[in-house]
């Protein structure tokens, strides 16, 4: 099942990756090569096999609800690309 | 301090006052030209190293002791050390300084280890050669034209090059064991959940595991013991996670049964690697080990399921890098445009390819065909290995099908690099412990031997590896 140029463009949009046309073409080739390799999955019969999402069995663990000091605002905003008055400055999401 | 010296020997010299921790720190700092030649570090904070050395010495002077006190440990740059830059070798995290330390960083400090610096890696740990770093190449101390493997190539080169006796890496599909094999040292991936992943930048959360590099199994065992244990900050941390190495030297090979998956001795195995590994098997037989060839059919699908599951998890984990919370931002059209510009321009090629792959295999219409099916094969693989672990004392194989390859030689064929991980991936898929140790040289380059054990069988596999190490040929590392 080959992946088309339009599909590659669609996947890049879903992944929030702004790619050049040249990059899209390169990735189209590489994704098609990978998908070709993926066909060997069919060699194993997985009928009725439970999918394994994790390496070891996990049970949900709840922490005690104890108040502890968090990181200070100054420390948090030190790494933000833009901040003002104790808030993250982000690009406009909803236009007026 | 004269090399070669193991971490345990160095710690002993420090404890007996033959050398002070500040002297150890200065010795380490004096090696920065060699470290730069090998492309080991992305950041070394000399002031922090000196301050930490002074503090450790003060603790020792007050009567405190610890098996690794004063020993320098290099830390892969996808693990947080508070106040020191964390880049994951990516432009998208340039300038980011984490406001907290990873649990393993705190454990290193509790053990009195000297945090030496942050080591180079493949960008976000995606790669098998350390060539996808956005900042620099790392080089193999055995031959500077060759790769040290990856993704923890900087951490492996630190130890094999004699820069630090110990280092930490992370292993998602073999990223500790493969570079350990290619540089002739010891690398261990513990059972998933026995070492906290809190403060490790997530690549593929169900596979990632932090682990140690050292020149001997004993050194690696001590560092493993120091960083293991339950962590309340990591919801995947196991309850009885602490690794006890008190029986490390009490093993014997006589009467042991090791399984060798035929599939790991087939595809792409270089003749030189085969000869060294078969010679190692012969040595083990002479020591009383029964080596039993077995078939593990799912091994043939290891690389495929890795290249579905790991990118799927990565595409989700790397969603947080959008130019809003940390790192640089490249402006675009509104929030979505800004995010796409930042990610499109600041992620490297391999990272973008894996995000694209992951997004595709998780997208509507393809989820069942790829992701769900890969997880089903993962179940088959984990069950096949669990059965072997019940019947045998260990599963044994080459770590890498090739010796260290020339830098750039595989970049034209991405799949050629990816198949290098076929022997190491099953341990990540099943969460079980696996260790690589040196088995000898092929054409003057190291060959790794991998031992795998059951989930929670870390103590058993470390003990077996220690015992095996005693009968393997001794190899002199190329310290500069």
């Amino acid at each position: 099942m080959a992946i088309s140029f339009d599909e590659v463009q669609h996947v890049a949009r879903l992944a929030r990756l702004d790619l050049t046309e040249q990059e899209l073409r390169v990735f189209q080739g590489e994704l098609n090569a990978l998908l070709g390799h993926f066909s060997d999955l069919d060699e194993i019969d997985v009928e009725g096999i439970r999918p394994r999402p994790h390496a070891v069995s996990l049970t949900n663990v709840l922490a005690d609800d104890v108040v502890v000091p968090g990181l200070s605002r100054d420390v948090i905003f030190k790494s933000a690309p833009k901040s003002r008055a104790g808030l993250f400055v982000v690009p406009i999401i909803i236009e007026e | 301090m004269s090399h070669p010296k193991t971490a345990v020997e160095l710690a002993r010299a420090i404890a007996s006052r033959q050398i002070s921790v500040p002297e150890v720190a200065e010795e380490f700092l004096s090696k920065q030209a060699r470290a730069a030649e090998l492309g080991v570090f992305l950041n070394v904070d000399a002031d922090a190293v000196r301050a930490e050395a002074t503090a450790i010495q003060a603790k020792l002077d007050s009567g405190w002791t610890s098996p690794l006190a004063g020993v320098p440990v290099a830390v892969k740059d996808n693990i947080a050390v508070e106040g020191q830059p964390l880049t994951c070798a990516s432009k998208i995290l340039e300038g980011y300084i984490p406001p907290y330390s990873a649990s393993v960083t705190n454990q290193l400090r509790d053990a009195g280890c000297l945090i030496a610096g942050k080591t180079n890696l493949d960008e976000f740990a995606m790669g098998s050669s350390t060539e996808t770093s956005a900042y620099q190449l790392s080089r193999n101390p055995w031959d500077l034209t060759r790769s040290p493997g990856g993704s923890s190539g900087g951490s492996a080169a630190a130890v094999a090059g004699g820069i630090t006796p110990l280092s930490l890496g992370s292993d998602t599909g073999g990223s500790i064991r493969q570079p350990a094999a290619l540089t002739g040292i010891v690398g261990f991936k513990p059972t998933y959940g026995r070492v906290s992943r809190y403060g490790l930048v997530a690549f593929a959360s169900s596979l990632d595991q932090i682990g140690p590099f050292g020149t001997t199994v004993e050194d690696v065992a001590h560092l493993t013991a120091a960083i293991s244990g339950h962590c309340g900050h990591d919801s995947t941390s196991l309850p009885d996670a602490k690794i006890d190495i008190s029986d490390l030297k009490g093993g014997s090979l006589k009467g042991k049964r090791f399984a060798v998956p035929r599939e790991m001795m087939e595809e792409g195995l270089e003749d030189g690697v085969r000869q060294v590994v078969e010679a190692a098997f012969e040595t083990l037989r002479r020591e009383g080990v029964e080596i039993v060839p077995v078939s593990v059919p799912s091994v043939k699908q290891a690389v495929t399921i890795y290249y579905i599951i790991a990118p799927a998890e990565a595409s989700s984990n790397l969603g947080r890098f959008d130019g809003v919370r940390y790192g640089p931002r490249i402006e675009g059209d509104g929030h979505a445009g800004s995010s796409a510009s930042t990610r499109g321009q600041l992620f490297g090629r391999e990272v973008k390819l894996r995000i694209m792959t992951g997004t595709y295999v998780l997208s509507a219409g393809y989820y069942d065909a790829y992701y769900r099916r890969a997880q089903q094969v993962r179940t088959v693989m984990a069950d096949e290995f669990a059965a072997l672990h019940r019947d045998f004392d260990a599963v044994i194989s080459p770590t890498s099908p090739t010796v260290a390859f020339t830098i750039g030689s595989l970049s034209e064929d991405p799949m050629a690099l990816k198949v290098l991980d076929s022997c190491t991936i099953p341990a990540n898929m099943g969460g079980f412990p696996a260790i690589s140790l040196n088995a000898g040289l092929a054409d003057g380059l190291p060959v790794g031997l991998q031992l795998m054990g059951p989930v929670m069988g870390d103590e058993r596999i470390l003990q077996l590896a220690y015992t095996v190490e005693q009968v393997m040929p001794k190899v002199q590392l190329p310290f500069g």
Side-chain angles (χ1 to χ4, degrees):
Chain A
M1 179 168 27
I3 181 166
S4 69
F5 184 78
D6 285 351
E7 279 179 298
V8 176
Q9 239 175 347
H10 177 61
V11 171
R13 206 161 36 244
L14 290 176
R16 290 269 190 277
L17 285 173
D18 196 2
L19 303 177
T20 63
E21 186 176 337
Q22 194 197 349
E23 280 181 303
L24 289 167
R25 297 228 176 265
V26 169
F27 286 149
Q28 183 188 359
E30 294 195 0
L31 282 170
N32 275 321
L34 278 174
L35 294 177
H37 287 286
F38 291 174
S39 62
D40 68 0
L41 279 184
D42 300 337
E43 290 169 20
I44 289 194
D45 180 11
V46 292
E47 186 66 34
I49 301 285
R50 182 182 50 82
R52 185 183 175 105
H54 231 267
V56 292
S57 298
L58 295 171
T59 48
N60 199 15
V61 179
L62 300 176
D64 293 334
D65 191 10
V66 179
V67 178
V68 291
L71 297 169
S72 74
R73 262 189 189 187
D74 291 349
V75 168
I76 297 283
F77 285 107
K78 211 178 256 180
S79 289
K82 277 188 188 172
S83 65
R84 195 166 59 233
L87 300 166
F88 284 94
V89 176
V90 301
I92 290 172
I93 295 171
I94 303 170
E95 302 277 359
E96 280 183 36
Chain B
M1 189 169 68
S2 61
H3 276 296
K5 193 167 264 180
T6 68
V8 168
E9 287 168 350
L10 177 60
R12 213 173 284 141
I14 292 168
S16 63
R17 301 294 191 269
Q18 291 169 45
I19 185 167
S20 73
V21 186
E23 285 171 328
V24 171
E26 292 306 325
E27 173 75 21
F28 160 68
L29 291 170
S30 74
K31 293 177 185 166
Q32 294 313 300
R34 172 69 170 161
E37 187 182 29
L38 295 171
V40 168
F41 290 112
L42 290 173
N43 181 56
V44 174
D45 183 339
D47 291 342
V49 170
R50 289 191 173 104
E52 220 164 294
T54 305
I56 296 166
Q57 188 62 54
K59 274 180 83 176
L60 287 169
D61 291 344
S62 72
W64 175 83
T65 59
S66 170
L68 292 179
V71 175
V73 181
V75 176
K76 189 175 180 178
D77 197 27
N78 58 354
I79 296 171
V81 177
E82 184 183 349
Q84 294 191 21
L86 172 67
T87 68
C88 289
S90 179
K91 294 285 183 194
I92 211 162
L93 273 172
E94 192 159 295
Y96 173 61
I97 302 198
Y100 70 106
S101 279
S103 293
V104 292
T105 305
N106 291 327
Q107 287 165 308
L108 288 181
R109 292 216 164 100
D110 290 346
C113 296
L114 186 61
I115 294 171
K118 305 298 291 295
T119 59
N120 195 33
L121 65 151
D122 280 300
E123 185 178 3
F124 282 103
M126 296 180 188
S128 305
S129 64
T130 319
E131 289 171 285
T132 72
S133 167
Y135 297 103
Q136 65 187 27
L137 285 172
S138 290
R139 297 180 183 279
N140 195 315
W142 290 82
D143 176 349
L144 298 186
T145 68
R146 293 177 189 266
S147 166
S151 64
S152 312
S155 291
V159 172
I163 311 298
T164 58
L166 293 168
S167 63
L168 288 184
S170 66
D171 191 315
T172 305
S175 285
I176 293 173
R177 290 160 285 152
Q178 183 255 21
L182 268 46
T183 58
I185 58 175
V186 182
F188 180 46
K189 184 200 84 70
T191 293
Y192 180 90
R194 295 197 78 169
V195 173
S196 172
R197 291 181 303 109
Y198 176 73
L200 168 71
V201 177
F203 159 17
S205 311
S206 81
L207 308 170
D208 299 337
Q209 184 59 78
I210 295 173
F213 288 97
T215 56
T216 65
V217 175
E218 185 181 14
D219 280 4
V220 160
H222 276 284
L223 188 52
T224 306
I227 61 172
S228 64
H230 179 72
C231 172
H233 292 299
D234 177 356
S235 65
T236 60
S237 177
L238 296 173
D240 299 314
K242 194 73 188 167
I243 292 175
D244 175 8
I245 58 162
S246 53
D247 290 334
L248 183 73
K249 298 181 181 178
S252 159
L253 292 175
K254 204 162 183 58
K256 292 282 185 288
R257 295 177 75 236
F258 291 177
V260 185
R262 285 191 194 93
E263 293 79 2
M264 291 182 171
M265 296 293 292
E266 287 172 0
E267 199 181 356
L269 194 63
E270 286 180 351
D271 288 344
V273 174
R274 181 185 300 281
Q275 283 163 18
V276 170
V277 170
E278 284 180 350
F281 291 169
E282 203 42 54
T283 303
L284 292 173
R285 281 193 193 97
R286 280 199 299 274
E287 296 293 326
V289 176
E290 187 186 354
I291 305 274
V292 183
V294 296
S295 179
V296 190
S298 63
V299 165
K300 290 193 169 174
Q301 274 72 37
V303 173
T304 298
I305 62 172
Y306 174 80
Y307 277 93
I308 292 173
I309 293 171
E313 294 185 15
S315 69
S316 171
N317 278 325
L318 270 57
R320 74 192 62 170
F321 300 106
D322 57 3
V324 171
R325 283 159 286 197
Y326 22 57
R329 177 191 302 166
I330 294 171
E331 300 296 344
D333 186 13
H335 179 265
S338 168
S339 175
S341 299
T342 303
R343 291 161 59 80
Q345 290 185 41
L346 298 181
F347 278 138
R349 187 176 179 280
E350 182 67 23
V351 173
K352 286 189 279 194
L353 174 63
R354 296 207 196 191
I355 291 174
M356 293 283 286
T357 309
T359 305
Y360 181 75
V361 299
L362 289 176
S363 62
Y366 300 108
Y367 178 91
D368 282 344
Y370 295 116
Y371 187 64
R372 184 182 155 81
R373 199 176 178 88
Q375 286 195 328
Q376 288 173 306
V377 176
R378 179 180 184 166
T379 304
V380 172
M381 178 178 285
D383 289 349
E384 284 178 348
F385 275 90
L388 287 180
H389 293 318
R390 279 193 295 275
D391 293 343
F392 293 90
D393 295 290
V395 181
I396 191 164
S397 76
T399 310
S400 166
T402 73
V403 292
F405 44 87
T406 309
I407 290 169
S409 64
L410 299 179
S411 55
E412 292 304 306
D413 180 1
M415 211 57 203
L417 254 179
K418 293 173 173 60
V419 298
L420 297 184
D421 304 328
S422 56
C423 293
T424 52
I425 287 169
N428 302 83
M429 291 296 166
F432 51 80
I435 192 165
S436 178
L437 59 152
N438 192 261
L441 301 179
D443 294 328
L445 292 167
V447 172
L449 186 69
Q450 180 179 230
L451 272 79
M452 297 166 263
V455 167
M456 293 301 281
D458 303 70
E459 287 88 349
R460 170 170 134 189
I461 215 69
L462 284 167
Q463 188 193 63
L464 275 175
Y466 177 85
T467 317
V468 169
E469 183 185 45
Q470 307 312 308
V471 298
M472 288 295 128
K474 299 288 171 279
V475 167
Q476 179 70 44
L477 287 166
F479 292 136

